[in-house]
């Protein structure tokens, strides 16, 4: 059985679906602080908090767990600057609790959601796994710390891990029954869709004077269904090779904020107001990843390279989410 920690969240719920479709049995651990019970449509569900080691231990007694995928971390970069304790506690301390219980139960396969934010300001584009890791905010540092812990735990305890560094997770499952829903929402695509659906007066572009062709930031938007398939490939790799490794997961193409807005207008057929405001602190001009290593070693082939496809699936879900 595969344990999905944070399986009621955006990426975890998509991976849960993919695992079940691939024939795996899953158990989902989530404290529902940010996750949604309705997103757990497959597998067994345990409402449990990683800060409570006894509860986590009980879960490991109850289920025959052979690998763990860990998605439950806080992700708001700005909040991590103003309230770092919240981030170090959850993203680092709680992860250590989970690893502690795993080792107690001799479970030694771990797949970890990391981020391109561990690289910090890019020295070269596209970012490869060999790029130096020098995060510029507490959020990125919490993820890098766990990466370092995992390296030490492999050497000392033989705990094998696959670290997956996501670029900008986006889109929704084609079915329209699960998707992205954060509260508060800070991510570009759901915010634009809010403007398109009339829930927001406008979309604000953070900075139009970057050194990019249209002056707005460029990001690598990777579809959540592609992230999900990469997790299955990572699990297979870990099972076959019993060796730790790390991989970038991006689609290799960058889209500017303006291109994403144009795609939303094109896909939804809706008009909305676009405001241009000052830069958001800490945003690099361009973040694009190379996922060649994942393609070569995992045999992973992302399917959603086109921004309109990403927006189309996100829009279907967004309409479902905002139904009266
Ligand atoms: N962005 C924006 N307006 C918004 C939200 C985001 O212009 O209301 C920009 C942001 O500056 C960045 C890109 O959109 O360049 C993606 O931001 P997001 O917060 O979705 O993801 P991040 O790249 O920060 O992980």
């Amino acid at each position: 059985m595969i344990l999905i920690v944070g399986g009621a969240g955006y990426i975890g719920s998509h991976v849960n679906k993919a695992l079940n479709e691939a024939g795996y049995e899953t158990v989902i651990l989530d404290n529902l602080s940010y996750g949604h019970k309705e997103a757990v449509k497959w597998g067994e569900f345990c409402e449990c908090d990683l800060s409570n080691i006894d509860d986590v231990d009980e879960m490991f007694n109850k289920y025959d767990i052979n690998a763990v995928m860990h998605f439950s971390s806080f992700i708001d970069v700005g909040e991590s600057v103003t309230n770092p304790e919240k981030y170090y506690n959850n993203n680092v301390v709680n992860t250590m609790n989970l690893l502690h219980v795993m080792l107690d139960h001799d479970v030694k396969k771990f797949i970890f959601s990391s981020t391109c934010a561990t690289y910090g300001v890019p020295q070269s584009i596209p970012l490869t796994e060999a790029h130096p890791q020098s995060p510029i905010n507490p959020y990125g540092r919490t993820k890098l710390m766990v990466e370092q812990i995992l390296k030490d735990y492999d050497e000392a305890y033989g705990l094998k891990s696959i670290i997956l560094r996501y670029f900008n997770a986006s889109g929704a499952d084609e079915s329209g029954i699960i998707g992205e829903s954060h509260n508060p929402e800070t991510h570009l695509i759901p915010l634009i869709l809010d403007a398109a659906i009339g829930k927001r007066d406008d979309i604000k572009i953070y900075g139009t004077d970057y050194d990019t062709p249209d002056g707005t930031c460029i990001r690598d938007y990777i579809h959540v269904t592609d992230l999900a398939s990469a997790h299955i490939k990572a699990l297979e790799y870990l099972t076959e090779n019993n060796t730790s490794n790390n991989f970038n997961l991006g689609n290799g193409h960058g889209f500017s904020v303006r291109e994403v807005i144009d795609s939303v207008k094109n896909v939804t057929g809706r008009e909305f107001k676009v405001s241009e405001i000052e830069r958001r602190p800490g945003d690099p001009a361009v973040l694009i990843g190379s996922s060649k290593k994942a393609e070569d070693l995992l045999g992973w082939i992302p399917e959603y390279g086109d921004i309109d496809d990403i927006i189309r699936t996100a829009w279907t879900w967004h309409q479902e989410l905002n139904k009266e």
Side-chain angles (χ1 to χ4, degrees), residues 10-287:
Y10 173 39
I11 302 172
S13 61
H14 286 78
V15 173
N16 186 27
K17 178 172 188 270
L19 281 167
N20 279 273
E21 284 173 356
Y24 291 94
E25 283 187 310
T26 58
V27 52
I28 286 78
L29 183 160
D30 204 298
N31 67 4
L32 299 182
S33 62
Y34 287 90
H36 309 277
K37 177 84 175 42
E38 323 75 81
V40 186
K41 298 190 190 299
W42 306 268
E44 304 254 345
F45 178 61
C46 290
E47 189 173 341
C48 174
D49 198 298
L50 289 181
S51 63
N52 189 330
I53 293 197
D54 290 342
D55 283 358
V56 181
D57 186 64
E58 208 172 288
M59 250 199 91
F60 275 74
N61 282 329
K62 187 166 171 198
Y63 298 100
D64 182 18
I65 294 166
N66 20 54
V68 177
M69 298 193 181
H70 182 30
F71 299 91
S72 73
S73 61
F74 297 146
I75 56 165
D76 183 336
V77 171
E79 188 188 41
S80 81
V81 176
T82 53
N83 191 3
E85 189 188 18
K86 175 175 174 181
Y87 280 70
Y88 287 108
N89 256 327
N90 184 55
N91 296 8
V92 182
V93 177
N94 283 345
T95 301
M96 289 182 69
N97 289 347
L98 172 63
L99 296 172
H100 176 84
V101 177
M102 283 177 63
L103 289 172
D104 262 359
H105 289 262
D106 207 29
V107 178
K108 292 189 172 175
K109 290 187 175 58
F110 191 66
I111 297 186
F112 179 61
S113 303
S114 189
T115 167
C116 62
T118 58
Y119 294 119
V121 180
Q123 294 169 9
S124 54
I125 294 286
L127 286 149
T128 69
E129 292 80 357
H131 188 284
Q133 288 179 290
S134 182
I136 56 166
N137 52 58
Y139 165 67
R141 280 191 280 277
T142 63
K143 292 288 185 178
L144 180 58
M145 281 179 189
V146 173
E147 290 200 15
Q148 289 164 336
I149 289 168
L150 289 172
K151 198 160 176 280
D152 290 338
Y153 279 27
D154 182 1
E155 273 165 39
Y157 313 126
L159 188 142
K160 302 294 172 191
S161 61
I162 303 293
I163 289 161
L164 300 174
R165 299 187 190 125
Y166 309 155
F167 283 71
N168 289 55
S170 55
D173 189 71
E174 287 281 359
S175 66
I177 58 172
I178 48 174
E180 185 170 15
S181 170
H182 296 114
N183 189 15
E185 188 55 76
T186 61
H187 293 110
L188 179 67
I189 293 175
L191 288 175
I192 309 176
L193 295 177
D194 272 350
I197 217 163
K199 260 177 75 180
R200 226 169 258 278
D201 294 340
D202 64 353
I203 181 70
K204 295 183 172 48
I205 301 182
Y206 297 148
T208 52
D209 58 351
Y210 284 96
D211 186 16
T212 58
D214 69 17
T216 66
C217 286
I218 293 176
R219 293 288 176 274
D220 179 329
Y221 295 91
I222 175 73
H223 197 281
V224 66
T225 301
D226 286 330
L227 286 180
S229 69
H231 284 73
I232 310 263
K233 295 281 188 192
L235 180 63
E236 289 166 356
Y237 176 91
L238 192 53
T239 308
E240 275 163 32
N241 300 288
N242 197 36
T243 176
S244 297
N245 214 332
N246 52 54
F247 299 97
N248 283 345
L249 298 178
N251 80 29
H253 304 286
F255 298 100
S256 73
V257 175
R258 282 195 210 281
E259 283 173 326
V260 178
I261 292 172
D262 287 348
S263 171
V264 172
K265 289 190 171 173
N266 176 35
V267 168
T268 66
R270 306 263 179 118
E271 268 307 319
F272 48 87
K273 190 173 160 212
V274 178
S275 314
E276 299 180 3
I277 63 167
E278 66 281 7
R279 292 181 177 198
R280 185 173 69 175
D283 268 338
V286 181
L287 277 177

